Amino acid sequence: MNKVLVVGGGAIGLLSARLLAEQGYDVSLLEKGDVGRESSWAGGGIVSPLYPWRYSAAVTALAHWSQDYYPHLAERLFEETAIDPEVHVTGLYWLDLDDEPLALAWAREQGRPLQSVDIAAVHDAVPPLGSGFSSAIHMSGVANIRNPRLVRSLRAAVLGMPNVTLLEHRPVTGFIRESGRIRGVLTEQGEIRADRVVLAAGAWSAELLATLGVQLPVEPVKGQMILFKCADDFLPSMVLAKGRYAIPRRDGHILVGSTLEYEGFDKTPTDEALASLKASAIEMLPALADAEVVGHWAGLRPGSPEGIPFIGPLPGHDGLWLNCGHFRNGLVLAPASCQLLADLMAGREPIIDPTPYMPAGRI
């Protein structure tokens, strides 16, 4: 049981492959296009759910473990690859929340450093903030990770492992099923066999499972982003208001996102979204009215019920494991999700209770 195929080369697939290879498996990672160029590349990289108090305990457990682990992961990847994922600790301000009391109660219960802040103090801390806000809460220690660099670093790391084979531009079209067991995958270039298969194909996971007659409740949810370039010190903290966020990178790039669109697999950026995102950006940070939009793109999140991913073996299909359906929090939850998968596959004591994520009973 030493050969594993990982289907999907985003952050979840890359990190799964890395951890499984560290356990001694012979791993082949298959990606339909270029590694890391789908949802993992397209997102913002905030190392927190946007509204963590609105999620179930299952998402919270994965998020907390990952948040604590990310600085260590980024440091190791930088040492191994010389590509810095840029974990940038800025803190995060939420403005004019309708459910601020719920957020503060959640923080007290979870022991998280979230507190109410006078809006005048926010303007002192974030000088470019617009004047149209009346209340705020702040969580110190929240970081963002430069996700395109994270996936580049992960790609370089797995390429440096002698027991990992990376197969890009290798679309998987189905599975090899023999005597009730999954024995590998079908690709346009032929069969690839293995002892186990891990499905980490994000928004495309349901389409692949449908070839087995399995209905996985994961669907593509389009998100559009825009990117500005400002002075390095323009925005000292992340800001979130009315469902939109502004994320500063270390070099002065400011990401603003994102839309939430149920448009199937269409990834076309639209003028309507561009206008809406620019309006949100200028409302939060009026000086952006004079800044150039240097990027505008769309990605497809793997939408799932309550945003709870599917992690574990698929009943009735021995040899097939899932690590998919992370919705808006794939980057946030990746370290914990992949460690949990690796623990389960190795028969070790898992880092957290795996029950809420198990495919059994949910599909």
Side-chain angles (χ1 to χ4, degrees):
M1 301 287 286
N2 289 325
K3 184 169 178 55
V4 178
L5 298 180
V6 177
V7 180
I12 299 290
L14 285 162
L15 195 50
S16 295
R18 173 184 168 88
L19 291 173
L20 293 171
E22 287 178 345
Q23 290 181 183
Y25 290 104
D26 179 13
V27 180
S28 293
L29 176 62
L30 287 77
E31 164 56 41
K32 65 181 179 61
D34 294 320
V35 157
R37 293 294 298 185
E38 293 292 352
S39 184
S40 299
W41 183 88
I46 302 176
V47 187
S48 171
L50 292 185
Y51 301 96
W53 55 90
R54 297 178 187 174
Y55 283 93
S56 69
V59 172
T60 297
L62 291 171
H64 286 181
W65 196 94
S66 294
Q67 286 166 326
D68 293 340
Y69 186 74
Y70 250 121
H72 168 71
L73 174 63
E75 185 178 318
R76 276 193 62 193
L77 289 171
F78 188 29
E79 288 173 358
E80 291 176 29
T81 69
I83 301 170
D84 186 358
E86 291 192 17
V87 173
H88 186 27
V89 180
T90 65
L92 173 58
Y93 288 95
W94 287 266
L95 306 173
D96 291 357
L97 284 171
D98 293 332
D99 57 353
E100 181 176 315
L102 180 65
L104 296 171
W106 171 88
R108 287 192 296 271
E109 179 184 313
Q110 297 290 329
R112 308 308 280 186
L114 181 68
Q115 58 186 357
S116 181
V117 184
D118 183 80
I119 197 67
V122 183
H123 282 284
D124 290 340
V126 188
L129 183 67
S131 60
F133 303 102
S134 58
S135 66
I137 59 174
H138 178 249
M139 186 184 287
S140 61
V142 181
N144 67 76
I145 193 158
R146 198 153 186 173
N147 38 306
R149 298 190 182 186
L150 171 67
V151 291
R152 279 177 52 213
S153 186
L154 282 168
R155 181 183 187 277
V158 299
L159 281 173
M161 302 179 82
N163 53 334
V164 177
T165 301
L166 178 58
L167 301 170
E168 295 180 282
H169 302 280
R170 193 67 61 94
V172 171
T173 58
F175 300 91
I176 303 168
R177 181 180 168 91
E178 295 172 353
S179 303
R181 184 174 182 85
I182 301 302
R183 303 287 184 178
V185 299
L186 305 170
T187 77
E188 294 174 356
Q189 290 85 2
E191 293 185 353
I192 303 178
R193 290 181 171 262
D195 302 302
R196 297 180 183 181
V197 175
V198 175
L199 181 60
W204 288 265
S205 298
E207 281 199 331
L208 285 172
L209 279 188
T211 66
L212 293 171
V214 176
Q215 291 189 319
L216 179 72
V218 170
E219 63 178 323
V221 183
K222 182 176 175 179
Q224 299 190 49
M225 309 274 292
I226 58 175
L227 182 70
F228 296 90
K229 180 65 171 76
C230 302
D232 292 1
D233 60 352
F234 170 72
L235 183 62
S237 173
M238 293 182 284
V239 179
L240 196 158
K242 298 181 181 178
R244 298 279 170 84
Y245 49 77
I247 305 170
R249 301 303 198 206
R250 289 179 183 168
D251 62 2
H253 280 99
I254 309 294
L255 276 168
V256 174
S258 100
T259 63
L260 200 63
E261 306 168 59
Y262 292 82
E263 301 286 348
F265 287 93
D266 176 20
K267 290 193 299 179
T268 309
T270 64
D271 291 341
E272 292 83 1
L274 176 63
S276 175
L277 290 166
K278 284 181 72 173
S280 295
I282 293 165
E283 183 179 8
M284 284 189 284
L285 306 164
L288 291 181
D290 299 320
E292 180 188 1
V293 175
V294 295
H296 174 209
W297 62 87
L300 299 176
R301 312 175 187 90
S304 59
E306 297 184 76
I308 300 173
F310 296 87
I311 306 170
L314 184 63
H317 298 81
D318 288 350
L320 181 55
W321 295 68
L322 305 185
N323 194 4
C324 55
H326 293 75
F327 203 2
R328 305 187 78 174
N329 294 309
L331 287 160
V332 183
L333 307 182
S337 297
C338 298
Q339 186 62 58
L340 178 58
L341 175 80
D343 289 346
L344 293 170
M345 291 184 73
R348 285 195 306 262
E349 181 71 22
I351 53 166
I352 58 174
D353 178 8
T355 306
Y357 320 100
M358 285 290 191
R362 298 182 62 207
I363 298 175

